[in-house]
Amino acid sequence: MLKGKLALVTGGSRGIGRAICEKLASLGADIAFSYAGNEAAARETEAACRALGVRVLARQADVGSAEAVAGLFEAVLAEFGRVDILVNNAGITRDSLAMRMKEADFDAVIETNLKGTFLTMKAAARPMMKQRAGRIVNLTSVVALRGNAGQANYCASKGGVISMTKAMARELAGRGITVNAVAPGFIETDMTAVLPEEAKSSMAASIPLGRMGRPEDVAEAVAFLAGDGAAYITGQVLAVDGGMAM
Ligand code: NAP
């Protein structure tokens, strides 16, 4: 149970982030989550978590902006006075073959997925170190382990997340803070809905368990790593991919 704990989830308005908010709320954690701009979706997550009987703070905040992340943490600490769990879920894709990839699309993906994860971990380190406890879970991807044509920017950002997870696990271990990563495979969300049918069916065919993942499959793994039972696990990457990356 996570009663009395505060979980901050980035990108909680839709998809995997929403499932993580709902799962952690169902375990009793109060929830703070950020989103990029989809106000209507954010309200839906907020209502779903409130219905589970926990306190909820939703805030628009671009994780790639140091100023916005500082504002997010100020608001969370003012409201709850603590950060026990940080889930770095916010992420974007801007796919194209490297030959055609625009520099702006490379930069945008690195800024949100990699720098955003760094900025929030940096901001969480102080309150977690004071508490001498904390759980950080970063969303990476199966493609960071396997590579994927058309995603040089995304693979670089998610590969960076894995390395940074290990670096931060070593930096924070002495204070009882664990830092782990979850690597989803091919999950049914808005992010994958936009892929061409051909790409979807060839990816689906490569999943040993024979189906796409659901956001709830990923949320289960995040909840495990965020809970007391995972106290002796740090610096790890847990694939939730139906066997794609083994
Ligand atoms: P999604 O459905 O596209 O949702 C993305 C979420 O991130 C939304 O809540 C969005 O907010 C938020 N977001 C985007 N940019 C942001 C920013 N700059 N600042 C703050 N929030 C931002 O994505 P998803 O499929 O759930 O993916 C969630 C995470 O899992 C991502 O890190 C993704 O890379 C990773 N992942 C997904 C898959 C998959 O198959 N779906 C596979 C492997 C890894 P708005 O609603 O306001 O836009």
Side-chain angles (χ1 to χ4, degrees), residues 11-17 34-38 41 61-64 89-92 112 139-142 154 158 184-187 189-192:
S13 47
R14 288 181 288 126
I16 294 170
S34 68
Y35 58 99
N38 192 333
D62 175 2
V63 290
N89 166 80
I92 58 168
T112 298
L139 272 287
T140 176
S141 169
V142 68
Y154 185 76
K158 295 299 189 178
F186 190 29
I187 313 295
T189 68
D190 295 345
M191 186 178 272
T192 49

Side-chain angles (χ1 to χ4, degrees), residues 2-194:
L2 300 174
K3 213 165 174 43
K5 303 222 157 124
L6 182 281
L8 170 54
V9 180
T10 67
S13 47
R14 288 181 288 126
I16 294 170
R18 178 185 289 177
I20 293 168
C21 289
E22 290 186 28
K23 178 68 195 175
L24 298 179
S26 77
L27 295 170
D30 290 326
I31 304 292
F33 73 89
S34 68
Y35 58 99
N38 192 333
E39 188 76 32
R43 295 295 150 243
E44 283 178 29
T45 301
E46 194 177 12
C49 293
R50 286 232 167 87
L52 292 163
V54 301
R55 290 164 65 199
V56 187
L57 174 76
R59 189 178 164 107
Q60 191 281 326
D62 175 2
V63 290
S65 151
E67 207 183 337
V69 169
L72 173 66
F73 274 79
E74 257 169 48
V76 170
L77 290 169
E79 179 77 17
F80 299 97
R82 54 191 304 118
V83 180
D84 301 288
I85 298 161
L86 167 66
V87 183
N88 276 307
N89 166 80
I92 58 168
T93 51
R94 295 279 187 278
D95 298 351
S96 69
L97 293 174
M99 260 185 346
R100 279 188 233 124
M101 188 175 286
K102 294 191 173 69
E103 190 180 341
D105 288 338
F106 185 86
D107 290 347
V109 169
I110 296 293
E111 188 161 299
T112 298
N113 300 5
L114 184 59
K115 186 174 153 197
T117 299
F118 169 70
L119 290 174
T120 56
M121 285 202 285
K122 184 178 173 186
R126 199 179 297 276
M128 285 184 175
M129 282 169 92
K130 267 200 212 153
Q131 292 164 206
R132 300 194 76 83
R135 291 276 188 279
I136 299 176
V137 184
N138 297 325
L139 272 287
T140 176
S141 169
V142 68
V143 301
L145 307 169
R146 297 190 357 158
N148 199 21
Q151 292 197 309
N153 50 359
Y154 185 76
C155 291
S157 72
K158 295 299 189 178
V161 165
I162 291 178
S163 302
M164 197 163 55
T165 296
K166 294 179 183 180
M168 293 299 286
R170 288 189 186 278
E171 279 192 30
L172 299 175
R175 302 295 182 107
I177 301 163
T178 68
V179 189
N180 290 291
V182 168
F186 190 29
I187 313 295
E188 284 171 359
T189 68
D190 295 345
M191 186 178 272
T192 49
V194 297

